[in-house]
Amino acid sequence: MDFQLSQEQTMIRDACRTFSREKMLPYARQWDIDEAYPRELLNEMADLGFLGVPIPEKYGGAGLDYISEALVFEEVGYADSSVRTTLSVQMSLVELTILKWGSEEQKLSYLPRLCKGEWIGCFGLTEPGAGSDAGNLSTRATRQGGDWILNGQKVWISNGTWADLAIVFAQTDPSLKHKGLAAFLIETKAAGFHAQKMKGKLGLRASDTGELFLENVRVPDSARLGEIGEGFKIAMSALDNGRYGVASGCVGIAQHALDCSIEYS
């Protein structure tokens, strides 16, 4: 087995390494103190293709492989894991989930805007009373004609107050537990949708984290991602993607810690 990077993979790694060392690393400490980093940074990363690495070119992405995606997470994580968090949610939890489970219309509508950084996405699963135990979600989706009415609250949502698009998981029939879950693509400008920033974190302080509140948010059935009852599968597959991004970013953190230790020694 050949473990050497391809020429294309080496190029994306080197480009991201240069960017992260010049545009992120010198400012990461202050961003941590301020509990924020500049939103414009994502626009610069989008111009370099870093927001849509594994997404096919047809949908506005770079069309690269998953090793290239891991290299981007690693190099960004080396400089600032808060920024890596934003990218992990954008690509792993939102874009790849839409790519796998979305209709062609949903893919063409949302993926190009997400890959270009015109829109930021968030993943609304965790609630005050339920984390990855998705079968006990309290957020409800009630069918009303050709629409759905959503009510509930989400918490610890990365990109929560920055997001233009949210994947929200809700229960359509509590008696069915996880088999009643559904996922919805909700544009955050929708009436009844509100996000509130959470501050005072112990780590990843510069990343945006928010609470989401849904009060009679009405969305058409076309906003549903996948079928009713597939919400649990969608959530678990998305979290698998997310773990890959987090792990890749942690390799960058470990490398930076090792480099600092060697320099100190």
Side-chain angles (χ1 to χ4, degrees):
M1 181 177 291
D2 184 6
F3 289 99
Q4 297 299 311
L5 298 179
S6 68
Q7 182 178 6
E8 188 174 60
Q9 291 165 347
T10 301
M11 288 176 63
I12 191 79
R13 180 202 65 188
D14 291 348
C16 192
R17 179 172 294 178
T18 298
F19 181 88
S20 67
R21 303 305 193 272
E22 294 180 356
K23 300 286 189 176
M24 296 167 51
L25 192 56
Y27 314 104
R29 181 175 178 80
Q30 189 60 48
W31 293 343
D32 183 77
I33 294 170
D34 296 339
E35 297 189 64
Y37 69 87
R39 170 70 173 77
E40 297 75 26
L41 184 74
L42 296 180
N43 297 331
E44 296 182 55
M45 300 180 81
D47 291 341
L48 294 170
F50 297 156
L51 294 191
V53 177
I55 304 302
E57 294 180 10
K58 173 183 178 180
Y59 302 117
L64 300 176
D65 60 10
Y66 287 100
I67 297 297
S68 298
E69 182 193 26
L71 291 168
V72 168
F73 288 138
E74 181 179 346
E75 296 302 327
V76 172
Y78 184 101
D80 191 338
S81 196
S82 288
V83 182
R84 192 275 312 152
T85 296
T86 303
L87 264 63
S88 288
V89 173
Q90 185 82 349
M91 286 194 285
S92 301
L93 296 185
V94 178
E95 292 174 5
L96 286 175
T97 301
I98 295 174
L99 182 66
K100 180 175 181 178
W101 298 93
S103 66
E104 188 66 11
E105 182 180 358
Q106 290 169 337
K107 295 175 189 177
L108 291 172
S109 176
Y110 294 120
L111 288 178
R113 285 183 275 187
L114 292 164
C115 291
K116 294 176 184 177
E118 295 174 358
W119 277 28
I120 298 300
C122 71
F123 187 79
L125 177 63
T126 305
E127 298 182 352
S132 56
D133 180 17
N136 288 317
L137 294 184
S138 297
T139 299
R140 296 286 182 262
T142 306
R143 193 69 180 260
Q144 191 175 93
D147 296 337
W148 292 89
I149 308 298
L150 281 86
N151 285 278
Q153 179 183 357
K154 302 294 180 177
V155 72
W156 299 115
I157 306 303
S158 298
N159 301 353
T161 69
W162 279 11
D164 305 280
L165 178 69
I167 298 180
V168 174
F169 294 85
Q171 180 60 263
T172 65
D173 185 345
S175 67
L176 296 178
K177 292 290 187 177
H178 67 277
K179 293 183 179 180
L181 291 179
F184 298 88
L185 291 168
I186 301 181
E187 298 181 13
T188 60
K189 64 183 179 182
F193 189 102
H194 173 67
Q196 179 176 300
K197 191 174 183 66
M198 302 177 70
K199 304 194 75 170
K201 295 179 294 181
L202 294 178
L204 302 175
R205 288 163 52 84
S207 67
D208 176 64
T209 304
E211 291 183 85
L212 308 182
F213 302 90
L214 297 94
E215 299 178 7
N216 295 319
V217 175
R218 179 183 292 271
V219 295
D221 189 54
S222 60
R224 178 168 40 82
L225 186 64
E227 300 298 327
I228 300 300
E230 288 186 326
F232 185 81
K233 292 181 181 179
I234 294 172
M236 295 304 106
S237 70
L239 292 177
D240 282 343
N241 292 332
R243 292 183 183 104
Y244 179 71
V246 172
S248 305
C250 287
V251 173
I253 295 174
Q255 183 64 57
H256 195 177
L258 177 61
D259 290 349
C260 289
S261 299
I262 293 172
E263 182 181 356
Y264 176 80
S265 298

